[in-house]
Amino acid sequence: MINQTQDELIEEFGLFDDWADKYEYLIDLGKKLLPMSESFKTEDNVIKGCQSKVWLHAEKQGDLVVFQADSEAIIVKGMISMLIRVLSNHTPEEIIKADLYFIDQIGMSQHLAQTRSNGLVAMVKQMKNYAVAFSAIA
Amino acid sequence: MAEKLDLNLIRKDFPILDQQVNGSPLVYFDNAATTQKPQVVIDALNRYYTQDNANIHRGLHTLAERATTGYELTRTKLKDFLHAPSTDQIIFTSGTTAGINLVAQTYGRANFTAGDVILVSNLEHHSNIVPWQMIAQETGAEVQVIPVDELGVLDMVAYQSLLTDRVKLVAVNHVSNAIGTINPIKQMIDWAHRVGAKVLIDGAQSVAHFDIDVQALDLDFFVFSAHKLFGPTGVGVLFGKRELLETMPPYQGGGEMIKEVSFSGTTYNELPYKFEAGTPNIADVYAFGFALDYLASLPKNAVWEQEKALLDYATEQLSQIDGLRIVGQAPEKIAVVSFVIDGVHPQDIGVLLDKFGVAIRTGHHCAQPLMARYDLVGTCRASFAFYNTKEEIDLFVKALKRCLMMLS
Ligand SMILES: Cc1ncc(COP(=O)(O)O)c(C=O)c1O
């Protein structure tokens, strides 16, 4: 399931040849990110290590972990949108085990993977941390 | 008609500028973070390691002699550059940050006591805040802040009233790295001296732009980094008044800084070596001397004219963009334009501009208290050097407009 979503993303980004179009698509994903409840935008939910503020909230709905997130920066929101699409609504075990190969394969890894300050690494780590915490409680 | 810089020739001296980044010609507008290095500096580094490398001061052999001469020659050049009274007062550090920490940990520790005040400004880089907070915590001294107005100018009335006889040290930057304000340091130093306070000036952002005369300014301490002055990374300079440096305890212990060592007691070396423990950064200090020579070879007025022209042109071009606001509009500014755009996060602009080959800086610029003052998460900052051109500003502005279209 997680891999199926990743493959979809890879296919979608494959439609664009040049970097500007890929970024425009990413920005578009950012704009369409479902809004996060304002009540979850707390200091506790802020992910440290990003140049823009990023909030991440996770909760367990039945067996599944559901994520909500937001950022002040639109490109970061685009990345959040992809991560949520891939990881949200899965079991903690699936999230912990997930190998996020789409990041390298959508053709933007030069930017997305390399820049520590964009917070992608911190975001993935935090999402997995939530999954670990939920699996420990269960 | 004053002499003009031949930018075609000058740009050839900086080989890094001639390259494509992400498929576009590089536009390097991050000079406040670090400047690029002329070929003579790169050659000097290469030559040092190819021909002259040896440890300095203690060796008797020819290479040691050459390396020592090269290292000390830069100190002599710096004496001229700063108009310092002697080479003994020029101490090599690893950078501005290291110089400030040295003064805080030696002068500060020996002189601050409970109730004393260290005055910094709201414009400071974290490097000129945190070392003072650390020593304040240890000694019971207190850090107070000179406020800054909407334009980015220090409030001199407030400064005057903050200057009580409790103030032991005033630590301010000559020029703000985040918004480019040039502070009236001559006046600030004079006022501080009247209440018996010493002054440390952080010259990280000023040395590349003006002449510094430490004697005319009556400076107590002046610090800067070579890498912001077209020299290598890892080298900094601390200038201090002789009577202060002489009475300050050493900073780090080790080789080079001693006269005699025994287990019953150690005597310290003289200035400047007392503060240069261990093997220093010989190669980079040597190469830095060539950056100073290079600068001295340029017509100073033409450099200033060029920087001023870049500042004016960039300000004018950027002001025409809808929703763009320039942060920092002090009447006296170096060639730095910090700006924000309504509804757009600076990070998004930085990321996209890079794709167009344009290097600027976004974020808080290590000046979070200043960002807080203006209620900003950060700004976009374009900072220029004399080797930049108006054509590059055109490329930058065009790229910025494309970014805004992509983001809208
Ligand atoms: C005003 C100012 N002070 C201090 C520093 C710190 O310099 P360095 O990192 O070279 O020690 C900088 C560098 O950005 C600066 O601009």
Side-chain angles (χ1 to χ4, degrees), chain B residues 32 95-97 125 127 173 175 177 202 204-205 225 227-228:
Chain B
T96 306
T97 306
H125 187 282
S127 289
N173 55 34
V175 169
N177 67 305
D202 169 353
Q205 294 296 337
S225 302
H227 73 93
K228 295 187 197 277

Short mmCIF file of all heavy atoms in Angstrom, two decimals, chain B residues 32 95-97 125 127 173 175 177 202 204-205 225 227-228, ligand 1:
data_model
loop_
_atom_site.label_atom_id
_atom_site.label_comp_id
_atom_site.label_asym_id
_atom_site.label_seq_id
_atom_site.Cartn_x
_atom_site.Cartn_y
_atom_site.Cartn_z
N ALA B 32 27.91 38.59 2.28
CA ALA B 32 27.96 38.87 3.72
C ALA B 32 28.23 37.59 4.50
O ALA B 32 28.75 37.63 5.61
CB ALA B 32 26.66 39.52 4.18
N GLY B 95 38.58 33.26 13.87
CA GLY B 95 37.48 34.02 13.26
C GLY B 95 36.93 35.03 14.23
O GLY B 95 37.40 35.15 15.37
N THR B 96 35.94 35.76 13.78
CA THR B 96 35.29 36.77 14.62
C THR B 96 34.78 36.14 15.92
O THR B 96 34.99 36.67 17.01
CB THR B 96 34.08 37.36 13.85
OG1 THR B 96 34.53 37.82 12.59
CG2 THR B 96 33.45 38.50 14.61
N THR B 97 34.07 35.03 15.76
CA THR B 97 33.49 34.35 16.91
C THR B 97 34.56 34.02 17.94
O THR B 97 34.38 34.25 19.14
CB THR B 97 32.79 33.05 16.44
OG1 THR B 97 31.88 33.39 15.41
CG2 THR B 97 32.06 32.37 17.57
N HIS B 125 24.83 39.99 15.73
CA HIS B 125 24.93 38.58 15.35
C HIS B 125 25.02 37.77 16.64
O HIS B 125 25.56 38.25 17.63
CB HIS B 125 26.23 38.45 14.54
CG HIS B 125 26.46 37.12 13.89
ND1 HIS B 125 26.91 36.02 14.59
CD2 HIS B 125 26.35 36.72 12.60
CE1 HIS B 125 27.07 35.01 13.76
NE2 HIS B 125 26.73 35.39 12.55
N SER B 127 26.98 35.72 17.55
CA SER B 127 28.38 35.65 18.02
C SER B 127 28.74 36.79 18.95
O SER B 127 29.70 36.69 19.71
CB SER B 127 29.35 35.74 16.84
OG SER B 127 29.30 34.61 16.09
N ASN B 173 28.34 45.71 16.68
CA ASN B 173 28.95 45.52 15.37
C ASN B 173 29.09 46.87 14.67
O ASN B 173 28.33 47.80 14.92
CB ASN B 173 28.21 44.48 14.52
CG ASN B 173 26.74 44.75 14.34
OD1 ASN B 173 26.32 45.90 14.26
ND2 ASN B 173 25.94 43.70 14.28
N VAL B 175 28.86 47.07 11.40
CA VAL B 175 27.82 46.98 10.39
C VAL B 175 26.98 45.74 10.68
O VAL B 175 27.51 44.68 11.01
CB VAL B 175 28.46 46.83 8.98
CG1 VAL B 175 27.40 46.47 7.95
CG2 VAL B 175 29.19 48.10 8.57
N ASN B 177 25.02 42.52 9.93
CA ASN B 177 25.05 41.53 8.85
C ASN B 177 23.67 41.27 8.28
O ASN B 177 23.52 40.96 7.10
CB ASN B 177 25.65 40.20 9.34
CG ASN B 177 24.78 39.51 10.36
OD1 ASN B 177 24.43 40.09 11.38
ND2 ASN B 177 24.40 38.29 10.07
N ASP B 202 32.70 44.56 16.58
CA ASP B 202 32.68 43.40 15.70
C ASP B 202 32.71 43.94 14.26
O ASP B 202 31.73 44.48 13.77
CB ASP B 202 31.39 42.62 15.98
CG ASP B 202 31.11 41.54 14.95
OD1 ASP B 202 31.84 41.46 13.94
OD2 ASP B 202 30.14 40.78 15.14
N ALA B 204 33.19 42.22 11.51
CA ALA B 204 33.03 41.15 10.51
C ALA B 204 32.48 41.69 9.19
O ALA B 204 32.95 41.31 8.11
CB ALA B 204 32.13 40.06 11.05
N GLN B 205 31.51 42.61 9.28
CA GLN B 205 30.85 43.08 8.05
C GLN B 205 31.40 44.41 7.56
O GLN B 205 30.92 44.92 6.55
CB GLN B 205 29.35 43.21 8.27
CG GLN B 205 28.63 41.91 8.52
CD GLN B 205 28.70 40.97 7.33
OE1 GLN B 205 28.89 41.38 6.19
NE2 GLN B 205 28.54 39.68 7.59
N SER B 225 36.87 38.50 10.60
CA SER B 225 37.20 37.21 9.98
C SER B 225 37.81 37.45 8.60
O SER B 225 37.28 38.24 7.81
CB SER B 225 35.95 36.36 9.77
OG SER B 225 35.27 36.13 10.98
N HIS B 227 37.72 35.44 6.13
CA HIS B 227 36.92 34.89 5.02
C HIS B 227 35.87 35.87 4.50
O HIS B 227 35.34 35.67 3.40
CB HIS B 227 36.27 33.56 5.42
CG HIS B 227 35.13 33.67 6.38
ND1 HIS B 227 33.83 33.75 5.95
CD2 HIS B 227 35.08 33.69 7.73
CE1 HIS B 227 33.03 33.83 7.03
NE2 HIS B 227 33.77 33.79 8.11
N LYS B 228 35.57 36.90 5.27
CA LYS B 228 34.65 37.92 4.76
C LYS B 228 35.41 39.06 4.09
O LYS B 228 34.84 40.08 3.72
CB LYS B 228 33.79 38.45 5.91
CG LYS B 228 32.87 37.38 6.49
CD LYS B 228 31.92 37.97 7.51
CE LYS B 228 31.28 36.95 8.41
NZ LYS B 228 30.10 36.30 7.84
C1 LIG C 1 28.41 40.78 12.24
C2 LIG C 1 28.98 39.40 12.36
N1 LIG C 1 29.55 39.02 13.50
C3 LIG C 1 30.10 37.80 13.64
C4 LIG C 1 30.06 36.87 12.64
C5 LIG C 1 30.68 35.54 12.85
O1 LIG C 1 31.80 35.37 12.06
P1 LIG C 1 32.57 33.99 11.99
O2 LIG C 1 31.52 32.96 11.75
O3 LIG C 1 33.51 34.13 10.85
O4 LIG C 1 33.24 33.78 13.30
C6 LIG C 1 29.47 37.21 11.43
C7 LIG C 1 29.37 36.22 10.34
O5 LIG C 1 28.34 35.99 9.77
C8 LIG C 1 28.91 38.51 11.29
O6 LIG C 1 28.33 38.87 10.15
#
